Amino acid sequence: MCGIVGFTSNETNAAPILLDGLAKLEYRGYDSAGIAVRDGDLSPKLVKAKGRLKLLSEKTDGGTAIRGTTGIGHTRWATHGEPSELNAHPHTTDDENVIGVHNGIIENFVELRDKLIRKGYKFYSQTDTEVAIKTVDYYYKKYGVGPIDALAKTMVRVRGSYALAVMFKDFPGEIYVARKDSPMIIGIKDGETYVASDVPAILKYTRQVYYIGNLEMARLTPGHVDFYNLDGDIVDKDLVEIDWDAEAAEKGGYEHFMMKEIHEQPRAIQDTIASVVRGEEESDLDIDLSAMGLTEEDIRGVSGITIIGCGSAYHVGMVAQYVLEDLARIPVRVELGSEYRYRKPIIDPDGLAVVISQSGETADSLAALRAAKEGGMKTLGIINVIGSSIAREADHVLYTLAGPEIAVATTKAYSTQLVAVYLLALAFARVRETITPDRYHGLLKELKTLPGKVEKIFEDNERLQWFASKFSSAKDVFFIGRGIDYGICMEGSLKMKEISYVHSEAYAAGELKHGTISLIEDGTLVIGVLTQNDLYEKTVSNMVEVKSRGAYLMGLTTYGHYEIEDTVDFNVYIPKTDEHFTTSLAVIPLQLLGYYISVARGLDVDKPRNLAKSVTVE
């Protein structure tokens, strides 16, 4: 949520770079934007705009209308206070001594604001960010300390999560940052220094970055950065090279990032498999456990697995539960990251908590990871971002290789997470000897065929686009399936809701008669997913039940089940694969369906309303 950029140099004008960086962070979700630049000892220039970034760009003539070699920028997603220019960042003290931007939530901002009011401060906005900026100013002036000490005192006083970037009047050409739980990276190249809340913002300028740690601060000067802990002591950091190609964060000729990322799934799946699977011939194929940091002794000692995720990552967990329990014969529980701590779970210290997150910064999942660790569980993160908070704090990590995902609605990150849990299930099954060696090698061979089979599904795009146009005015859509198919339905329903704003629900097909069937009316679209042979006939029976009540049926099944055409009004076929892996194929038409309906409704596919890519606040 929200986006931060910052830049300092000795010569280069900051504003165009700030605007360019903010444009790369639009996918995070926002409702207003602003920048502030300083040019030596001259008064700072603040420009804000409600709405899309193009309005801010027009106000500043693409940044060329305001001069300054040091600046900070922000795209705001409203939490405290309505979307408005007044509430937009950056925020400043009345004397412009401290100017800053902030991601996250200050939980005790009311208490801090009341104290500052007693000290003579006045407030012009409804935001917690203005409170944070004026708290920094208060400590800076009261104690006569430097910026780092003022930030440290603020961090001790503030409760909540934040990434904070501030400029001080007394230190032109410098930016000071602080972090607790919200992501932030710092890049350096050729005498210039950048700060941002995510990699795409600065990828065009540098691939040499530092990851600032939790409860750490930094001082940015042109071409240099120093890191500090809460005691004000210098902290050593290693530069990390981002191996993403800058073009990976561009549309590459596609109308939307989402469609580009849908078509990048074969490569992302292939890369993720190749990162841990060794060997060429079927009998030589094996999973290299060192990639996860798990030993065979660790795997044998696991009593059960708890999978934690939010949104699509939770849906991956639902599929993983079926696959892991069937192949590895180990108990699996799937938990919503936002609910895990508050349920006061009984934590088994011999269990393994698997936390799934694309960004590695999902606030609820990170908090759940910490709770599991406090309870004595070993933890494994399935993460797409190297150096992210969950990746650093988990005992073991399995990286997905999706590359940068810009569209808010996840596609390729979801697909690589699925592959990661398949690999985890096969590794557990082999070590715990719940499948034969031949079965293990055969499943790995089949896993490697998935990228080509995904490519095959794209040949049906035009039919799906036609069907989507037919139902672009739908008010309600139901997805039904059993077993793994129910897990697929959950993700398909989410895609429909989040980008096309069509109300949809995923139901375990056997639950229809327990209430849901009363919602079926003439013309209601019901999408049945039927990829599990043992459950095929039962799901067909459920589809017949809703058809008799007026439903319009779409059936999604594998090649060979052509008799489905006697039941459904529209059919989609996917290539055959092992039934444990069908989610990777069946989800593709559902992603495309959500996309095409959104386009047909004239909506902003990549930036759906009220949603953000990385949910870094609770």
Side-chain angles (χ1 to χ4, degrees):
M1 288 180 168
C2 306
I4 285 176
V5 294
F7 172 77
T8 182
S9 75
N10 289 317
E11 299 178 357
T12 306
N13 195 28
I17 292 173
L18 298 177
L19 290 170
D20 182 64
L22 291 176
K24 298 299 192 298
L25 296 178
E26 285 190 287
Y27 68 90
R28 295 174 69 88
Y30 70 103
D31 44 52
S32 60
I35 59 174
V37 296
R38 284 191 181 278
D39 195 7
D41 294 328
L42 298 178
S43 296
K45 304 170 186 68
L46 276 77
V47 186
K48 305 180 184 182
K50 177 186 174 183
R52 289 302 181 195
L53 191 62
K54 67 178 182 179
L55 299 176
L56 182 63
S57 181
E58 290 169 359
K59 275 190 171 186
T60 61
D61 194 17
T64 61
I66 53 175
R67 294 291 304 175
T69 58
T70 301
I72 52 178
H74 191 266
T75 48
R76 176 178 185 253
W77 193 84
T79 54
H80 297 77
E82 65 182 5
S84 68
E85 282 194 21
L86 198 64
N87 288 328
H89 303 203
H91 287 285
T92 179
T93 55
D94 294 341
D95 60 0
E96 297 181 332
N97 179 55
V98 180
I99 301 173
V101 295
H102 156 247
N103 286 352
I105 288 181
I106 307 300
E107 295 174 357
N108 60 334
F109 85 102
V110 174
E111 171 192 330
L112 293 171
R113 184 185 60 194
D114 291 346
K115 175 183 176 180
L116 290 170
I117 289 172
R118 293 194 297 270
K119 298 296 181 180
Y121 283 85
K122 297 179 180 180
F123 291 86
Y124 57 83
S125 78
Q126 302 165 293
T127 67
D128 55 341
T129 301
E130 185 187 358
V131 175
I133 300 306
K134 291 181 175 177
T135 301
V136 173
D137 180 74
Y138 170 75
Y139 285 119
Y140 179 75
K141 291 174 176 173
K142 177 180 179 180
Y143 294 101
V145 297
I148 290 296
D149 285 336
L151 279 175
K153 291 181 183 300
T154 301
M155 292 172 74
V156 171
R157 190 72 178 84
V158 162
R159 293 195 306 272
S161 61
Y162 49 82
L164 193 63
V166 296
M167 299 186 296
F168 290 78
K169 181 189 297 184
D170 298 335
F171 296 85
E174 300 183 5
I175 300 172
Y176 292 83
V177 302
R179 174 181 181 261
K180 180 179 181 291
D181 294 338
S182 291
M184 181 177 282
I185 60 166
I186 297 167
I188 290 182
K189 187 177 182 182
D190 299 334
E192 299 176 337
T193 304
Y194 308 80
V195 62
S197 47
D198 206 353
V199 171
I202 63 174
L203 196 59
K204 175 179 176 180
Y205 305 101
T206 180
R207 289 191 287 175
Q208 303 291 318
V209 304
Y210 295 101
Y211 288 94
I212 182 171
N214 208 34
L215 294 174
E216 289 183 351
M217 302 165 288
R219 169 179 174 259
L220 283 60
T221 56
H224 185 75
V225 58
D226 292 309
F227 294 91
Y228 303 86
N229 61 22
L230 272 179
D231 295 325
D233 297 328
I234 291 283
V235 177
D236 291 329
K237 295 278 182 185
D238 293 325
L239 267 175
V240 176
E241 180 159 350
I242 302 298
D243 58 5
W244 295 351
D245 189 316
E247 293 181 2
E250 303 295 338
K251 288 182 182 175
Y254 288 90
E255 185 177 356
H256 298 99
F257 278 111
M258 184 177 176
M259 182 57 90
K260 173 177 178 278
E261 289 159 8
I262 287 173
H263 282 81
E264 288 175 339
Q265 287 177 113
R267 179 59 183 271
I269 291 169
Q270 179 178 309
D271 288 348
T272 301
I273 294 170
S275 69
V276 294
V277 175
R278 307 289 178 255
E280 296 297 330
E281 299 297 325
E282 179 176 340
S283 59
D284 297 328
L285 294 175
D286 198 12
I287 298 172
D288 183 356
L289 298 178
S290 64
M292 290 179 255
L294 281 172
T295 67
E296 294 192 359
E297 183 179 355
D298 291 332
I299 291 175
R300 291 190 188 96
V302 172
S303 60
I305 296 175
T306 299
I307 300 177
I308 298 167
C310 297
S312 293
Y314 174 75
H315 300 160
V316 171
M318 292 297 291
V319 173
Q321 182 178 40
Y322 290 106
V323 177
L324 271 159
E325 289 196 336
D326 190 37
L327 291 178
R329 308 309 299 158
I330 187 169
V332 178
R333 187 181 183 104
V334 186
E335 299 272 5
L336 284 165
S338 57
E339 290 289 326
Y340 182 70
R341 289 171 295 155
Y342 306 113
R343 200 173 51 74
K344 297 180 181 178
I346 299 170
I347 297 176
D348 179 3
D350 293 324
L352 175 69
V354 178
V355 182
I356 305 175
S357 168
Q358 188 277 139
S359 67
E361 303 290 351
T362 310
D364 289 313
S365 298
L366 179 58
L369 169 82
R370 291 168 178 166
K373 290 188 74 170
E374 288 172 7
M377 291 183 85
K378 290 290 186 183
T379 56
L380 167 68
I382 295 179
I383 308 298
N384 194 48
V385 180
I386 296 172
S388 57
S389 294
I390 293 175
R392 289 197 304 270
E393 296 190 27
D395 299 308
H396 312 283
V397 180
L398 175 54
Y399 284 112
T400 56
L401 300 183
E405 188 179 65
I406 307 301
V408 167
T410 183
T411 52
K412 62 178 181 172
Y414 172 85
S415 288
T416 55
Q417 289 166 357
L418 282 176
V419 168
V421 297
Y422 298 156
L423 291 165
L424 187 66
L426 288 171
F428 267 69
R430 180 186 67 80
V431 173
R432 295 166 75 95
E433 299 180 349
T434 54
I435 59 174
T436 66
D438 286 347
R439 177 78 168 134
Y440 170 73
H441 294 306
L443 286 171
L444 283 176
K445 181 182 179 182
E446 180 60 29
L447 197 60
K448 295 183 72 173
T449 70
L450 291 181
K453 292 177 178 179
V454 172
E455 291 278 7
K456 178 71 175 174
I457 296 171
F458 293 147
E459 296 176 6
D460 216 20
N461 281 16
E462 290 185 3
R463 287 184 69 247
L464 283 164
Q465 187 171 10
W466 170 85
F467 183 72
S469 66
K470 182 180 176 70
F471 277 92
S472 61
S473 60
K475 297 291 189 294
D476 300 282
V477 179
F478 292 94
F479 293 75
I480 62 172
R482 293 171 179 257
I484 288 177
D485 290 338
Y486 172 49
I488 301 169
C489 288
M490 294 176 75
E491 180 61 13
S493 176
L494 179 61
K495 286 292 155 288
M496 182 74 71
K497 287 185 272 213
E498 64 185 347
I499 61 171
S500 68
Y501 315 151
V502 173
H503 169 257
S504 68
E505 297 292 340
Y507 257 85
E511 291 295 300
L512 282 171
K513 290 189 288 293
H514 296 278
T516 319
I517 203 165
S518 65
L519 299 174
I520 302 300
E521 300 174 348
D522 283 345
T524 301
L525 176 58
V526 177
I527 299 172
V529 182
L530 313 94
T531 71
Q532 308 294 299
N533 284 329
D534 289 347
L535 300 170
Y536 179 87
E537 291 183 354
K538 288 184 178 295
T539 305
V540 169
S541 295
N542 297 131
M543 296 176 73
V544 170
E545 289 173 339
V546 295
K547 186 174 185 178
S548 68
R549 289 159 175 82
Y552 189 98
L553 295 185
M554 170 181 155
L556 173 56
T557 188
T558 55
Y559 288 119
H561 283 299
Y562 303 119
E563 69 282 355
I564 194 67
E565 295 176 20
D566 296 331
T567 302
V568 304
D569 301 291
F570 181 78
N571 54 277
V572 177
Y573 297 111
I574 59 173
K576 288 185 177 180
T577 186
D578 186 275
E579 292 184 2
H580 297 92
F581 305 151
T582 53
T583 307
S584 291
L585 304 182
V587 75
I588 306 299
L590 302 184
Q591 292 172 347
L592 289 165
L593 186 62
Y595 172 84
Y596 284 130
I597 288 180
S598 180
V599 170
R601 291 165 70 96
L603 303 174
D604 191 339
V605 176
D606 289 334
K607 297 184 284 292
R609 66 190 181 198
N610 303 330
L611 296 180
K613 183 65 176 173
S614 180
V615 183
T616 56
V617 296
E618 294 185 50

